[in-house]
Amino acid sequence: MTQTDPVDLTAALVRCPSVTPEEGGALTVLQTLLENAGFACTRVDRGGVSNLFARWGDKGHARSFGFNGHTDVVPLGNPDDWSMPPFGAKIKDGMLYGRGSTDMKSGVAAFVAAAIDFVTDTPPDGAVILTITGDEEGDAIDGTVALLDWMAIEGEQMSVCLVGEPTCPDRMGEMMKIGRRGSMNAWFKVTGTQGHSAYPHRALNPMPAMARLMDVLASHELDRGTDHFDTSTLAVVTIDTGNSATNVIPAETRACINIRFNDIHTGEGLSYWLRDEAAKVDAAFGTRTDVKIKISGEAFLTPPGPLSDLIGKAVKAETGIAPELSTSGGTSDARFVKDHCPVVEFGLVGQTMHAVDERVAVDQVVQLKAIYARILKDYFAQ
Protein backbone atom coordinates (compact mmCIF):
# COMPACT_ATOMS: atom_id res chain seq x y z
CA MET A 1 0.00 0.00 0.00
CA THR A 2 1.36 3.42 -1.00
CA GLN A 3 2.00 5.58 2.04
CA THR A 4 1.32 9.32 2.22
CA ASP A 5 4.62 11.18 2.59
CA PRO A 6 4.29 13.84 5.31
CA VAL A 7 7.51 15.60 4.20
CA ASP A 8 6.29 16.01 0.63
CA LEU A 9 2.96 17.26 1.96
CA THR A 10 4.69 19.70 4.31
CA ALA A 11 6.68 21.05 1.36
CA ALA A 12 3.52 21.42 -0.74
CA LEU A 13 1.86 23.38 2.05
CA VAL A 14 4.90 25.60 2.70
CA ARG A 15 4.89 26.56 -0.99
CA CYS A 16 1.41 28.04 -0.46
CA PRO A 17 1.84 31.69 0.64
CA SER A 18 -0.89 31.54 3.28
CA VAL A 19 0.07 34.56 5.39
CA THR A 20 -2.94 35.05 7.64
CA PRO A 21 -5.73 35.45 6.64
CA GLU A 22 -4.85 34.43 3.07
CA GLU A 23 -5.63 30.80 2.20
CA GLY A 24 -2.83 30.71 -0.38
CA GLY A 25 -3.96 27.38 -1.81
CA ALA A 26 -3.07 25.33 1.28
CA LEU A 27 -6.59 24.17 2.10
CA THR A 28 -7.21 23.39 -1.56
CA VAL A 29 -4.19 21.05 -1.53
CA LEU A 30 -5.51 19.31 1.57
CA GLN A 31 -9.11 19.08 0.40
CA THR A 32 -8.11 17.45 -2.88
CA LEU A 33 -5.91 14.92 -1.10
CA LEU A 34 -8.51 14.09 1.54
CA GLU A 35 -11.42 13.76 -0.89
CA ASN A 36 -9.36 11.36 -3.00
CA ALA A 37 -8.91 9.27 0.17
CA GLY A 38 -12.64 9.11 0.84
CA PHE A 39 -13.03 11.95 3.34
CA ALA A 40 -16.20 14.04 3.14
CA CYS A 41 -14.94 17.63 3.02
CA THR A 42 -16.73 20.91 3.59
CA ARG A 43 -15.32 24.40 3.34
CA VAL A 44 -16.56 26.37 6.33
CA ASP A 45 -15.50 29.86 5.28
CA ARG A 46 -16.61 32.85 7.34
CA GLY A 47 -15.67 36.50 7.55
CA GLY A 48 -13.16 36.23 4.72
CA VAL A 49 -11.38 33.32 6.43
CA SER A 50 -11.00 29.88 4.85
CA ASN A 51 -11.55 26.73 6.94
CA LEU A 52 -11.80 23.03 6.13
CA PHE A 53 -13.82 20.29 7.82
CA ALA A 54 -13.09 16.70 6.79
CA ARG A 55 -14.65 13.50 8.09
CA TRP A 56 -14.01 9.85 7.31
CA GLY A 57 -16.76 7.55 8.58
CA ASP A 58 -20.41 7.99 9.38
CA LYS A 59 -21.73 11.28 10.69
CA GLY A 60 -22.80 11.08 14.29
CA HIS A 61 -20.80 7.97 15.05
CA ALA A 62 -20.59 7.27 18.76
CA ARG A 63 -16.80 7.33 18.67
CA SER A 64 -14.69 9.80 16.72
CA PHE A 65 -11.11 11.02 16.97
CA GLY A 66 -10.40 14.58 15.92
CA PHE A 67 -7.33 16.53 14.89
CA ASN A 68 -7.15 20.32 14.81
CA GLY A 69 -4.56 22.56 13.19
CA HIS A 70 -3.96 25.63 11.06
CA THR A 71 -2.34 26.43 7.72
CA ASP A 72 -2.13 30.21 8.08
CA VAL A 73 1.27 31.62 8.98
CA VAL A 74 2.68 34.84 10.42
CA PRO A 75 4.27 37.47 8.14
CA LEU A 76 7.83 36.98 6.91
CA GLY A 77 9.46 40.02 8.43
CA ASN A 78 12.19 41.28 6.09
CA PRO A 79 12.45 38.75 3.23
CA ASP A 80 16.07 39.81 2.67
CA ASP A 81 16.96 38.40 6.09
CA TRP A 82 16.07 34.88 4.97
CA SER A 83 18.89 32.65 3.72
CA MET A 84 16.33 30.40 2.00
CA PRO A 85 13.21 31.33 0.00
CA PRO A 86 10.45 31.77 2.61
CA PHE A 87 7.97 29.79 0.51
CA GLY A 88 10.52 27.60 -1.27
CA ALA A 89 10.37 24.52 1.00
CA LYS A 90 14.03 23.85 0.27
CA ILE A 91 15.71 21.02 2.19
CA LYS A 92 19.28 21.50 3.42
CA ASP A 93 21.19 19.37 5.91
CA GLY A 94 18.05 17.48 6.84
CA MET A 95 16.02 20.63 7.52
CA LEU A 96 13.04 21.84 5.48
CA TYR A 97 13.01 25.66 5.38
CA GLY A 98 10.04 27.96 4.98
CA ARG A 99 7.44 30.02 6.76
CA GLY A 100 5.06 27.68 8.54
CA SER A 101 7.36 24.68 8.30
CA THR A 102 7.27 24.35 12.09
CA ASP A 103 4.14 26.33 12.99
CA MET A 104 2.36 24.33 11.88
CA LYS A 105 2.14 23.02 8.33
CA SER A 106 4.32 20.04 9.27
CA GLY A 107 1.93 19.16 12.07
CA VAL A 108 -1.05 19.37 9.72
CA ALA A 109 0.79 17.30 7.11
CA ALA A 110 1.66 14.67 9.71
CA PHE A 111 -1.89 14.19 10.98
CA VAL A 112 -3.42 14.34 7.49
CA ALA A 113 -0.94 11.71 6.24
CA ALA A 114 -1.50 9.54 9.31
CA ALA A 115 -5.28 9.79 9.01
CA ILE A 116 -5.33 8.94 5.29
CA ASP A 117 -3.10 5.90 5.68
CA PHE A 118 -4.96 4.70 8.78
CA VAL A 119 -8.46 4.75 7.29
CA THR A 120 -7.13 3.26 4.04
CA ASP A 121 -5.20 0.38 5.62
CA THR A 122 -7.38 -0.40 8.66
CA PRO A 123 -10.82 1.27 8.35
CA PRO A 124 -11.87 1.93 11.96
CA ASP A 125 -15.17 1.40 13.69
CA GLY A 126 -15.75 5.09 14.10
CA ALA A 127 -15.01 8.43 12.50
CA VAL A 128 -11.84 10.45 11.99
CA ILE A 129 -12.45 14.19 11.88
CA LEU A 130 -10.01 16.90 10.80
CA THR A 131 -10.67 20.60 11.48
CA ILE A 132 -8.15 22.88 9.78
CA THR A 133 -8.34 26.66 9.96
CA GLY A 134 -6.78 29.65 8.26
CA ASP A 135 -7.28 32.01 11.22
CA GLU A 136 -5.14 30.82 14.13
CA GLU A 137 -2.37 33.38 13.69
CA GLY A 138 -4.85 36.21 13.13
CA ASP A 139 -7.84 37.36 15.14
CA ALA A 140 -9.03 33.75 15.63
CA ILE A 141 -12.66 34.88 15.36
CA ASP A 142 -13.65 33.13 12.15
CA GLY A 143 -11.35 30.10 12.26
CA THR A 144 -11.74 27.19 14.67
CA VAL A 145 -14.63 29.05 16.28
CA ALA A 146 -16.44 29.07 12.93
CA LEU A 147 -15.73 25.37 12.46
CA LEU A 148 -17.11 24.52 15.90
CA ASP A 149 -20.17 26.72 15.35
CA TRP A 150 -20.84 24.92 12.06
CA MET A 151 -20.31 21.52 13.67
CA ALA A 152 -22.86 22.32 16.37
CA ILE A 153 -25.45 23.25 13.73
CA GLU A 154 -24.70 20.19 11.61
CA GLY A 155 -24.57 17.72 14.49
CA GLU A 156 -20.89 16.88 13.95
CA GLN A 157 -19.05 15.74 17.07
CA MET A 158 -15.49 14.88 18.05
CA SER A 159 -15.24 12.55 21.04
CA VAL A 160 -11.70 13.76 21.73
CA CYS A 161 -9.30 16.07 19.89
CA LEU A 162 -5.56 16.39 19.45
CA VAL A 163 -4.22 19.81 18.42
CA GLY A 164 -0.99 19.44 16.45
CA GLU A 165 0.77 22.63 17.58
CA PRO A 166 4.52 22.45 18.30
CA THR A 167 4.79 21.54 22.00
CA CYS A 168 8.35 20.28 22.53
CA PRO A 169 10.93 22.85 23.71
CA ASP A 170 14.15 21.05 22.76
CA ARG A 171 13.68 17.33 22.08
CA MET A 172 11.03 15.48 20.15
CA GLY A 173 8.56 13.88 22.51
CA GLU A 174 9.41 15.72 25.72
CA MET A 175 6.18 17.67 26.29
CA MET A 176 2.46 17.68 25.63
CA LYS A 177 0.03 20.39 26.65
CA ILE A 178 -2.99 19.40 28.77
CA GLY A 179 -4.13 22.98 29.25
CA ARG A 180 -3.28 26.59 28.61
CA ARG A 181 -3.16 29.76 30.63
CA GLY A 182 -5.75 32.39 29.96
CA SER A 183 -4.67 35.60 28.24
CA MET A 184 -6.04 39.10 28.32
CA ASN A 185 -4.98 42.64 27.47
CA ALA A 186 -6.12 45.84 29.14
CA TRP A 187 -5.71 49.38 27.81
CA PHE A 188 -5.88 52.35 30.20
CA LYS A 189 -6.40 56.01 29.34
CA VAL A 190 -5.94 58.35 32.30
CA THR A 191 -7.28 61.86 31.70
CA GLY A 192 -6.44 64.98 33.68
CA THR A 193 -6.19 68.66 32.70
CA GLN A 194 -3.46 70.13 30.52
CA GLY A 195 -1.47 73.06 31.86
CA HIS A 196 1.88 74.83 32.20
CA SER A 197 4.50 72.80 34.05
CA ALA A 198 5.51 75.95 35.96
CA TYR A 199 1.99 76.13 37.44
CA PRO A 200 1.14 72.52 38.25
CA HIS A 201 -1.60 73.60 40.68
CA ARG A 202 -3.58 74.89 37.72
CA ALA A 203 -3.43 71.53 35.93
CA LEU A 204 -4.27 67.94 36.78
CA ASN A 205 -1.35 65.75 35.81
CA PRO A 206 -2.43 62.25 34.74
CA MET A 207 1.15 60.92 34.84
CA PRO A 208 1.45 60.33 38.62
CA ALA A 209 -1.93 58.61 38.59
CA MET A 210 -0.86 56.31 35.77
CA ALA A 211 2.46 55.60 37.49
CA ARG A 212 0.61 54.70 40.69
CA LEU A 213 -1.86 52.48 38.85
CA MET A 214 0.81 50.59 36.91
CA ASP A 215 2.87 50.10 40.06
CA VAL A 216 -0.13 48.76 41.98
CA LEU A 217 -1.00 46.32 39.22
CA ALA A 218 2.56 45.16 38.51
CA SER A 219 3.39 44.74 42.22
CA HIS A 220 0.31 42.68 43.03
CA GLU A 221 0.80 38.94 43.59
CA LEU A 222 -1.99 37.34 41.60
CA ASP A 223 -1.37 33.85 43.01
CA ARG A 224 1.34 31.28 43.72
CA GLY A 225 0.42 28.77 41.05
CA THR A 226 -1.58 25.55 41.17
CA ASP A 227 -0.90 21.83 40.78
CA HIS A 228 -0.78 22.11 36.98
CA PHE A 229 -0.14 25.82 36.38
CA ASP A 230 2.67 28.26 37.08
CA THR A 231 2.10 31.57 38.83
CA SER A 232 -0.06 34.01 36.88
CA THR A 233 1.82 36.98 35.45
CA LEU A 234 1.03 40.62 34.70
CA ALA A 235 3.33 42.63 32.44
CA VAL A 236 3.17 46.35 31.75
CA VAL A 237 3.97 46.44 28.04
CA THR A 238 3.70 50.15 27.24
CA ILE A 239 3.14 53.59 28.76
CA ASP A 240 2.65 56.28 26.12
CA THR A 241 2.07 60.00 26.52
CA GLY A 242 3.48 61.48 23.32
CA ASN A 243 4.42 64.74 24.99
CA SER A 244 7.48 66.31 23.35
CA ALA A 245 7.25 69.56 25.32
CA THR A 246 9.07 69.97 28.64
CA ASN A 247 6.91 72.85 29.85
CA VAL A 248 3.48 71.27 29.30
CA ILE A 249 1.61 68.96 31.62
CA PRO A 250 -0.27 66.58 29.30
CA ALA A 251 -4.02 66.10 29.34
CA GLU A 252 -3.87 62.32 29.10
CA THR A 253 -1.60 59.29 29.09
CA ARG A 254 -2.14 55.70 28.02
CA ALA A 255 -0.80 52.29 29.01
CA CYS A 256 -1.34 48.63 28.19
CA ILE A 257 -0.85 45.46 30.22
CA ASN A 258 -0.95 41.76 29.39
CA ILE A 259 -2.03 39.11 31.90
CA ARG A 260 -1.40 35.37 31.54
CA PHE A 261 -3.52 33.68 34.18
CA ASN A 262 -4.05 30.20 35.54
CA ASP A 263 -7.25 28.39 36.48
CA ILE A 264 -7.59 30.19 39.80
CA HIS A 265 -8.86 33.18 37.84
CA THR A 266 -11.39 34.07 35.19
CA GLY A 267 -11.19 36.90 32.72
CA GLU A 268 -14.30 38.41 34.25
CA GLY A 269 -12.86 38.35 37.75
CA LEU A 270 -9.60 39.94 36.67
CA SER A 271 -11.49 42.58 34.67
CA TYR A 272 -13.41 43.55 37.79
CA TRP A 273 -10.14 43.83 39.75
CA LEU A 274 -8.50 46.04 37.11
CA ARG A 275 -11.43 48.43 36.97
CA ASP A 276 -11.64 48.54 40.75
CA GLU A 277 -7.96 49.47 41.09
CA ALA A 278 -8.34 52.16 38.42
CA ALA A 279 -11.31 53.61 40.32
CA LYS A 280 -9.28 53.73 43.54
CA VAL A 281 -6.50 55.67 41.81
CA ASP A 282 -9.02 58.08 40.28
CA ALA A 283 -10.50 58.69 43.72
CA ALA A 284 -7.05 59.49 45.09
CA PHE A 285 -5.87 61.73 42.24
CA GLY A 286 -9.08 63.20 40.82
CA THR A 287 -8.37 61.77 37.37
CA ARG A 288 -10.66 59.82 35.05
CA THR A 289 -9.53 56.44 33.76
CA ASP A 290 -11.12 54.61 30.87
CA VAL A 291 -10.40 50.88 30.73
CA LYS A 292 -10.76 48.70 27.65
CA ILE A 293 -10.28 44.94 28.06
CA LYS A 294 -9.96 42.08 25.59
CA ILE A 295 -9.98 38.50 26.86
CA SER A 296 -8.24 36.28 24.30
CA GLY A 297 -8.99 33.04 26.12
CA GLU A 298 -9.77 31.57 29.52
CA ALA A 299 -7.48 29.19 31.35
CA PHE A 300 -8.43 25.54 30.95
CA LEU A 301 -7.20 22.11 31.93
CA THR A 302 -7.89 18.65 30.53
CA PRO A 303 -7.19 16.62 33.69
CA PRO A 304 -4.65 13.82 33.30
CA GLY A 305 -6.52 10.70 32.26
CA PRO A 306 -7.40 8.51 29.27
CA LEU A 307 -6.57 11.04 26.53
CA SER A 308 -3.21 12.15 27.91
CA ASP A 309 -2.38 8.51 28.73
CA LEU A 310 -3.18 7.48 25.15
CA ILE A 311 -0.96 10.18 23.67
CA GLY A 312 1.84 9.71 26.19
CA LYS A 313 1.98 5.97 25.50
CA ALA A 314 2.25 6.54 21.75
CA VAL A 315 4.91 9.23 22.14
CA LYS A 316 7.04 7.03 24.38
CA ALA A 317 6.69 4.07 22.01
CA GLU A 318 7.98 6.12 19.07
CA THR A 319 10.55 8.34 20.81
CA GLY A 320 11.53 6.53 23.99
CA ILE A 321 10.55 9.64 25.97
CA ALA A 322 7.59 9.95 28.35
CA PRO A 323 6.27 13.48 27.69
CA GLU A 324 5.83 15.97 30.49
CA LEU A 325 2.26 17.16 31.05
CA SER A 326 2.46 20.94 30.74
CA THR A 327 0.29 24.05 30.62
CA SER A 328 3.10 26.43 29.65
CA GLY A 329 3.31 28.75 26.67
CA GLY A 330 0.86 31.09 25.02
CA THR A 331 -2.62 30.46 23.72
CA SER A 332 -3.75 28.10 20.98
CA ASP A 333 -7.02 27.05 19.37
CA ALA A 334 -7.31 24.37 22.04
CA ARG A 335 -8.93 27.14 24.10
CA PHE A 336 -11.94 26.89 21.78
CA VAL A 337 -11.94 23.10 21.30
CA LYS A 338 -12.06 22.52 25.08
CA ASP A 339 -15.72 23.61 25.09
CA HIS A 340 -16.51 20.92 22.50
CA CYS A 341 -14.61 17.87 23.81
CA PRO A 342 -11.52 16.85 25.81
CA VAL A 343 -8.41 18.22 24.08
CA VAL A 344 -4.65 17.73 24.36
CA GLU A 345 -1.85 19.24 22.27
CA PHE A 346 1.19 17.42 20.98
CA GLY A 347 3.55 18.31 18.14
CA LEU A 348 7.09 19.03 17.04
CA VAL A 349 9.98 20.96 18.54
CA GLY A 350 9.06 24.61 18.14
CA GLN A 351 12.40 26.41 18.42
CA THR A 352 12.20 28.28 15.07
CA MET A 353 8.48 29.03 14.86
CA HIS A 354 7.80 32.65 13.78
CA ALA A 355 11.54 33.17 13.24
CA VAL A 356 13.53 34.12 10.15
CA ASP A 357 14.67 30.90 8.43
CA GLU A 358 11.92 28.91 10.14
CA ARG A 359 12.71 25.24 9.57
CA VAL A 360 11.79 21.72 10.62
CA ALA A 361 13.82 18.52 10.80
CA VAL A 362 12.44 16.19 8.14
CA ASP A 363 13.04 13.11 10.31
CA GLN A 364 10.87 14.66 13.03
CA VAL A 365 8.01 15.14 10.57
CA VAL A 366 8.20 11.43 9.70
CA GLN A 367 8.35 10.58 13.40
CA LEU A 368 5.35 12.79 14.17
CA LYS A 369 3.28 10.99 11.54
CA ALA A 370 4.22 7.69 13.16
CA ILE A 371 3.12 9.00 16.58
CA TYR A 372 -0.21 10.21 15.23
CA ALA A 373 -0.74 6.91 13.40
CA ARG A 374 -0.09 4.96 16.61
CA ILE A 375 -2.50 7.19 18.52
CA LEU A 376 -5.25 6.47 15.98
CA LYS A 377 -4.53 2.74 16.04
CA ASP A 378 -4.55 2.58 19.84
CA TYR A 379 -7.64 4.75 20.20
CA PHE A 380 -9.81 2.64 17.92
CA ALA A 381 -8.38 -0.61 19.33
CA GLN A 382 -9.73 0.25 22.77
Side-chain angles (χ1 to χ4, degrees):
M1 185 70 67
T2 301
Q3 298 292 296
T4 307
D5 188 333
V7 178
D8 286 347
L9 182 53
T10 298
L13 294 176
V14 168
R15 293 187 189 106
C16 299
S18 53
V19 177
T20 194
E22 296 299 323
E23 187 266 336
L27 294 182
T28 301
V29 168
L30 294 172
Q31 182 171 350
T32 300
L33 186 65
L34 288 163
E35 287 179 339
N36 288 340
F39 282 76
C41 294
T42 304
R43 287 288 290 270
V44 186
D45 297 355
R46 189 174 81 179
V49 171
S50 299
N51 304 294
L52 178 64
F53 174 89
R55 172 177 38 80
W56 187 96
D58 295 335
K59 178 180 178 180
H61 201 285
R63 183 167 59 160
S64 59
F65 193 96
F67 286 97
N68 172 267
H70 65 91
T71 55
D72 63 318
V73 300
V74 297
L76 303 178
N78 185 353
D80 293 336
D81 291 339
W82 288 68
S83 67
M84 293 286 195
F87 299 113
K90 300 294 185 182
I91 295 177
K92 179 181 179 182
D93 298 328
M95 306 295 289
L96 190 155
Y97 284 73
R99 176 59 84 222
S101 56
T102 296
D103 188 14
M104 57 166 289
K105 290 181 174 181
S106 51
V108 171
F111 70 62
V112 167
I116 288 174
D117 290 354
F118 176 68
V119 302
T120 301
D121 296 344
T122 54
D125 179 22
V128 177
I129 292 175
L130 312 180
T131 55
I132 306 169
T133 178
D135 189 35
E136 197 274 346
E137 300 289 9
D139 293 333
I141 296 172
D142 295 311
T144 293
V145 174
L147 283 161
L148 294 171
D149 289 346
W150 178 87
M151 290 172 66
I153 293 170
E154 295 296 322
E156 298 281 3
Q157 178 69 42
M158 296 182 289
S159 301
V160 295
C161 183
L162 194 162
V163 177
E165 287 279 0
T167 58
C168 300
D170 300 299
R171 294 184 302 158
M172 184 65 174
E174 66 182 331
M175 183 177 289
M176 74 171 85
K177 302 293 178 72
I178 60 169
R180 291 279 188 165
R181 296 180 297 173
S183 177
M184 62 189 293
N185 296 313
W187 294 266
F188 301 86
K189 182 177 77 170
V190 180
T191 302
T193 303
Q194 183 173 316
H196 199 298
S197 60
Y199 306 96
H201 58 286
R202 296 177 181 172
L204 177 56
N205 195 338
M207 298 292 288
M210 180 65 84
R212 175 73 61 83
L213 178 58
M214 292 299 104
D215 179 59
V216 167
L217 298 181
S219 301
H220 180 73
E221 182 181 80
L222 289 167
D223 56 69
R224 297 186 178 182
T226 68
D227 289 344
H228 293 288
F229 285 89
D230 292 335
T231 303
S232 299
T233 61
L234 184 153
V236 179
V237 295
T238 184
I239 300 175
D240 301 304
T241 304
N243 182 17
S244 60
T246 59
N247 60 350
V248 174
I249 292 172
E252 64 181 40
T253 184
R254 299 170 185 262
C256 179
I257 66 167
N258 175 259
I259 303 178
R260 302 298 172 117
F261 57 95
N262 60 36
D263 54 349
I264 290 176
H265 306 280
T266 65
E268 181 181 9
L270 289 168
S271 297
Y272 177 85
W273 170 65
L274 293 174
R275 290 191 169 99
D276 185 57
E277 293 298 336
K280 291 177 183 177
V281 169
D282 283 342
F285 285 85
T287 49
R288 184 182 78 252
T289 301
D290 298 313
V291 185
K292 177 184 175 183
I293 295 171
K294 180 180 179 181
I295 301 168
S296 300
E298 298 287 349
F300 75 92
L301 178 74
T302 300
L307 182 56
S308 55
D309 290 347
L310 171 76
I311 295 169
K313 179 183 176 182
V315 172
K316 186 172 183 181
E318 295 293 337
T319 68
I321 299 172
E324 174 189 351
L325 307 184
S326 174
T327 58
S328 62
T331 59
S332 75
D333 277 1
R335 71 190 189 272
F336 307 125
V337 179
K338 55 92 175 171
D339 293 326
H340 177 88
C341 67
V343 59
V344 169
E345 299 175 58
F346 178 78
L348 296 167
V349 174
Q351 289 181 338
T352 65
M353 56 184 176
H354 294 200
V356 168
D357 279 345
E358 183 178 351
R359 57 200 178 274
V360 64
V362 295
D363 60 340
Q364 288 186 9
V365 180
V366 174
Q367 193 173 37
L368 185 61
K369 178 195 171 183
I371 292 169
Y372 289 160
R374 185 179 288 271
I375 289 168
L376 285 169
K377 178 182 176 182
D378 292 349
Y379 176 77
F380 286 105
Q382 292 175 348

